[in-house]
Amino acid sequence: MTGSRKKSVLIIGGGAVGAIAALNLEVGGLTSVTLVLRSNFNAVNEHGFDIKSCDHGRVNSWKPSIVRNSIPDIAKESLPPYDYIVLCTKNIPGIPPTVVDLVTPALPKANSHTTLVLLQNGLHIYTPFLETHPQTLVLSGISMIGSEEISPGQIIQNEGDRLIIGAFPNPNIDSPTSAALEFVSIYQNGGKTDCKLGEDVLHDRWRKLVYNACLNPICAILGLDTGRLRLAADGEVIEKLVRPAMQEIVDAARANGVVLDEDVVQKMIDVDPLQSYLSPSMLADVKKGNLIEYENLLGGPLREGRKAGVKMPTIEMLYYMAKGIQWRTMEARGMVDIPPQNV
Amino acid sequence: MTGSRKKSVLIIGGGAVGAIAALNLEVGGLTSVTLVLRSNFNAVNEHGFDIKSCDHGRVNSWKPSIVRNSIPDIAKESLPPYDYIVLCTKNIPGIPPTVVDLVTPALPKANSHTTLVLLQNGLHIYTPFLETHPQTLVLSGISMIGSEEISPGQIIQNEGDRLIIGAFPNPNIDSPTSAALEFVSIYQNGGKTDCKLGEDVLHDRWRKLVYNACLNPICAILGLDTGRLRLAADGEVIEKLVRPAMQEIVDAARANGVVLDEDVVQKMIDVDPLQSYLSPSMLADVKKGNLIEYENLLGGPLREGRKAGVKMPTIEMLYYMAKGIQWRTMEARGMVDIPPQNV
């Protein structure tokens, strides 16, 4: 313990991303983490996480300070407000609960104490909070981590936890950047990760979509991991599908005032090492029978690009294919009905 | 037995299509069928086919006159030439044996006796025979059957055996249409099927591609059967993927001098009844771990369309997606090597 009080951090969602964030924050020593789990609660509560991490090495039977299976209702439970709430769940519009519903019970009324960190994908995911929690500072967290939960509580992190933190725009907040900087400093206090301040949230979010709207859904649709995608059809899947899709995202970003580096397409194609066989989030979700975040990863940039007059035929096709795959998963989960066979 | 000698028919390939053709020809009473099987030979040789057919009813433990597990070498085996050879195998360019290799041992040298019937998909599949067997009459067979082999020798035929027979062009043959008419008459002699002469083979083949280059691969890529495809995402998969792809085939056909009926797109969307949950050939193949016929079904029309200056963005994307899926199957079958993981 240092002289100053530890920061209290509530992390909602302890899958492949949230668990590493929890581990890294507690390793840093400046925070006390409460982690809210859902599907893996029983496994983690009983045995802790087993983590094999390129940043942290092997960590067995590990738990953060507090593990819970429900979101704290701080009023009902008479809990002090958290300093930070980090949201690491999937963000799937149209499927309740909304992100606002999730976070609200853990925020003080008329909050100005707790800073919210959205460690989630998508362009404008902060806008619902502007209406419901106008005084709450919302930070953007963009993670380029390569991490997968192979079974409940078993996590393999193959690629370093590179995190870009920035402040979403909010006219009611005076100096959002200082809060963002504080979070960066506590996140990187352990010296294991590459966490930095991003000056331009929208730029950083479009940049990540170059990967997430293209390589990620194509892996999911074709059932190929990152290494296999690069090998498939002697590279033609990359050249004829991934590269054109990425270029459409670059074009849509530019039409929205965001100029990405010229080499961003090639960099994103090469970002996963050859001979590393990783499942990007959508492929991992499809394999596990989970819903995919196609609205935020494909629908968002498609709509922004279209509004700005950009043609995005590849992204549009990926969007509707992802919709078809989502529907297949929804049937498997009993969320849609199929009329009986009529032979 | 009627007074005239029965026609001898060799059918190569006894899957969902070949088995029904064999059954229908023998039910007609004018032919004696030899059926060459591969993966299902043992099952059929021991127990016969079990067929549940909308045309023929339930047929159990049924076998055609002769069942074999190899293609007859009529010279070595001193067999008389067949009147017809019907090719019902998959046609996958690049994967040996070629269709010519398959058929040649069963044809007489300098053949002009045996008529070849290609009951296969694709536009110009007859051209290899023009070079190797210029005197052989090659008929086109286009089947719109709905039939699936659910396990070796177990066949469910849900949609009627509608077969269009025509003669592929061949400058060395005098009256190809009379041979085509003869085949039609023996095929429909049992009165169970809708077999007719098609005057324009190329028209009929483009027409079938409206289904086979669009609905068929989209089902395979998304893992959705025909009924689910129509339900998926409240019809958006049909409207945003299937219909645009079909229109591109219609446009490519027109640019190649083939004018399809105006309502062909809607007709093909509606061809499988609602509440029938069928796996088109590519989906059935993917599910069984078989290679798919994407070169003939997608590559062929894509190349013809491009040559004629037609933009086919949807078909092109489906083509490369099908290539990616083919590569996944090839890995599963040990046909491509994956370098070891390098963490």
Side-chain angles (χ1 to χ4, degrees):
Chain A
M1 273 293 262
T2 60
S4 63
R5 185 181 72 82
K6 284 195 181 186
K7 297 283 181 187
S8 63
V9 180
L10 175 70
I11 300 183
I12 302 176
V17 172
I20 300 293
L23 174 62
N24 184 61
L25 281 167
E26 293 232 332
V27 163
L30 303 181
T31 65
S32 166
V33 172
T34 299
L35 182 60
V36 180
L37 303 171
R38 211 170 47 174
S39 65
N40 57 359
F41 173 77
N42 286 335
V44 173
N45 193 43
E46 280 174 40
H47 309 293
F49 283 104
D50 286 335
I51 298 174
K52 192 176 151 190
S53 160
C54 55
D55 292 335
H56 301 281
R58 276 182 181 276
V59 180
N60 289 325
S61 307
W62 177 83
K63 282 192 212 180
S65 300
I66 300 173
V67 166
R68 310 180 40 125
N69 64 356
S70 67
I71 295 181
D73 187 324
I74 61 167
K76 275 196 198 156
E77 301 179 38
S78 302
L79 293 171
Y82 294 95
D83 296 312
Y84 291 95
I85 297 177
V86 183
L87 201 54
C88 296
T89 59
K90 303 258 167 242
N91 188 330
I92 302 180
I95 309 285
T98 67
V99 283
V100 170
D101 292 339
L102 269 182
V103 168
T104 298
L107 284 174
K109 274 211 188 304
N111 170 53
S112 62
H113 175 87
T114 304
T115 296
L116 194 57
V117 185
L118 301 183
L119 229 161
Q120 298 181 311
N121 294 306
L123 288 173
H124 301 304
I125 53 178
Y126 67 101
T127 52
F129 295 99
L130 278 181
E131 285 179 34
T132 58
H133 300 81
Q135 302 300 328
T136 297
L137 172 60
V138 184
L139 300 182
S140 156
I142 301 171
S143 170
M144 288 302 283
I145 197 171
S147 184
E148 197 175 347
E149 186 175 29
I150 53 170
S151 63
Q154 310 286 313
I155 291 179
I156 293 180
Q157 183 204 348
N158 277 337
E159 288 181 56
D161 183 7
R162 285 163 297 144
L163 184 61
I164 304 174
I165 297 294
F168 281 118
N170 184 334
N172 310 313
I173 308 277
D174 277 344
S175 54
T177 304
S178 64
L181 270 174
E182 185 191 72
F183 189 81
V184 169
S185 73
I186 63 174
Y187 198 86
Q188 64 178 10
N189 200 53
K192 306 281 191 178
T193 57
D194 174 14
C195 179
K196 61 183 184 190
L197 186 73
E199 303 283 348
D200 185 343
V201 166
L202 203 58
H203 172 279
D204 297 336
R205 291 201 160 255
W206 273 105
R207 188 174 193 280
K208 185 165 180 200
L209 285 173
V210 177
Y211 184 95
N212 257 343
C214 307
L215 217 139
N216 192 347
I218 292 171
C219 282
I221 292 164
L222 298 182
L224 295 170
D225 58 38
T226 56
R228 285 175 172 81
L229 196 76
R230 290 170 74 173
L231 296 167
D234 301 319
E236 278 194 302
V237 172
I238 294 291
E239 294 307 318
K240 302 294 189 175
L241 296 174
V242 177
R243 193 183 295 278
M246 287 182 168
Q247 191 57 51
E248 291 171 17
I249 295 294
V250 170
D251 295 344
R254 179 172 291 125
N256 280 278
V258 171
V259 180
L260 300 174
D261 289 345
E262 269 189 31
D263 61 353
V264 66
V265 167
Q266 192 60 48
K267 273 203 168 145
M268 288 296 181
I269 288 173
D270 295 334
V271 74
D272 301 306
L274 271 174
Q275 292 182 244
S276 79
Y277 301 100
L278 305 171
S279 295
S281 61
M282 284 173 135
L283 175 58
D285 283 330
V286 168
K287 288 200 287 192
K288 289 182 188 171
N290 290 338
L291 297 174
I292 54 176
E293 296 186 287
Y294 77 96
E295 270 304 346
N296 280 349
L297 298 189
L298 283 159
L302 177 60
R303 284 184 287 270
E304 297 299 315
R306 269 191 196 147
K307 261 191 273 174
V310 178
K311 284 210 194 312
M312 304 176 78
T314 315
I315 296 293
E316 185 169 344
M317 228 180 128
L318 294 177
Y319 173 73
Y320 290 108
M321 287 205 159
K323 261 197 168 177
I325 284 179
Q326 190 81 316
W327 194 88
R328 194 181 73 198
T329 303
M330 289 171 79
E331 187 199 345
R333 296 172 76 108
M335 298 166 74
V336 292
D337 287 324
I338 305 287
Q341 176 132 14
N342 218 345
V343 186
Chain B
M1 275 291 263
T2 58
S4 62
R5 183 182 72 83
K6 284 195 180 186
K7 297 284 181 187
S8 63
V9 180
L10 176 69
I11 299 182
I12 301 176
V17 172
I20 300 293
L23 173 62
N24 184 60
L25 281 167
E26 293 231 332
V27 163
L30 302 181
T31 66
S32 166
V33 172
T34 299
L35 182 60
V36 179
L37 303 171
R38 212 170 47 172
S39 65
N40 57 359
F41 173 76
N42 286 335
V44 174
N45 194 43
E46 281 174 40
H47 309 291
F49 283 104
D50 286 334
I51 298 173
K52 192 177 152 190
S53 160
C54 55
D55 292 335
H56 301 280
R58 276 183 180 276
V59 181
N60 289 324
S61 309
W62 176 83
K63 282 191 212 182
S65 300
I66 300 173
V67 167
R68 309 180 40 126
N69 63 357
S70 67
I71 296 185
D73 186 325
I74 62 168
K76 276 195 194 154
E77 300 179 39
S78 302
L79 294 171
Y82 295 95
D83 296 312
Y84 291 96
I85 297 177
V86 183
L87 202 54
C88 296
T89 60
K90 303 257 166 242
N91 188 331
I92 302 181
I95 308 285
T98 67
V99 283
V100 170
D101 293 341
L102 268 182
V103 168
T104 298
L107 284 174
K109 274 210 189 305
N111 169 55
S112 63
H113 176 87
T114 304
T115 295
L116 193 56
V117 185
L118 302 183
L119 228 161
Q120 298 180 312
N121 294 306
L123 287 172
H124 300 305
I125 53 177
Y126 67 101
T127 52
F129 295 100
L130 277 180
E131 285 179 33
T132 58
H133 301 81
Q135 302 300 327
T136 297
L137 173 59
V138 184
L139 300 183
S140 158
I142 301 171
S143 171
M144 289 300 285
I145 196 171
S147 184
E148 195 175 348
E149 187 176 27
I150 52 168
S151 63
Q154 309 287 311
I155 291 178
I156 294 181
Q157 183 203 349
N158 277 337
E159 287 182 57
D161 184 8
R162 285 161 297 143
L163 184 62
I164 304 173
I165 297 293
F168 281 118
N170 184 334
N172 310 310
I173 308 276
D174 276 345
S175 54
T177 304
S178 64
L181 271 175
E182 186 192 72
F183 188 82
V184 168
S185 74
I186 63 174
Y187 198 86
Q188 63 177 13
N189 201 53
K192 307 280 191 177
T193 58
D194 174 15
C195 179
K196 62 183 182 189
L197 186 73
E199 303 283 347
D200 186 343
V201 167
L202 204 58
H203 172 279
D204 296 337
R205 290 200 161 257
W206 274 105
R207 188 175 192 281
K208 186 168 178 195
L209 285 173
V210 177
Y211 185 95
N212 257 342
C214 307
L215 217 141
N216 193 345
I218 292 171
C219 282
I221 292 165
L222 298 183
L224 294 170
D225 58 39
T226 56
R228 286 175 171 81
L229 196 76
R230 289 170 75 173
L231 296 168
D234 300 318
E236 279 195 301
V237 171
I238 294 291
E239 293 309 317
K240 301 295 187 173
L241 296 173
V242 176
R243 193 184 295 278
M246 287 182 168
Q247 191 56 51
E248 291 172 18
I249 295 293
V250 170
D251 295 344
R254 178 173 291 125
N256 280 277
V258 171
V259 180
L260 300 174
D261 288 345
E262 270 190 29
D263 61 353
V264 67
V265 166
Q266 193 60 49
K267 271 202 169 147
M268 288 297 181
I269 288 173
D270 296 334
V271 74
D272 302 305
L274 271 173
Q275 292 181 244
S276 78
Y277 301 100
L278 304 171
S279 294
S281 61
M282 285 174 136
L283 175 59
D285 283 332
V286 168
K287 288 199 286 192
K288 288 182 188 172
N290 290 339
L291 296 174
I292 53 176
E293 296 187 287
Y294 77 95
E295 270 304 345
N296 281 349
L297 297 189
L298 283 160
L302 178 59
R303 284 183 287 271
E304 297 299 314
R306 270 190 196 148
K307 261 191 273 176
V310 178
K311 286 213 192 313
M312 304 175 79
T314 316
I315 295 294
E316 186 170 341
M317 225 179 131
L318 294 176
Y319 174 72
Y320 290 108
M321 288 205 159
K323 262 199 167 176
I325 283 179
Q326 190 81 317
W327 194 89
R328 194 182 73 197
T329 303
M330 289 171 80
E331 187 198 344
R333 296 173 74 107
M335 297 166 76
V336 293
D337 287 326
I338 305 287
Q341 176 132 12
N342 218 346
V343 186

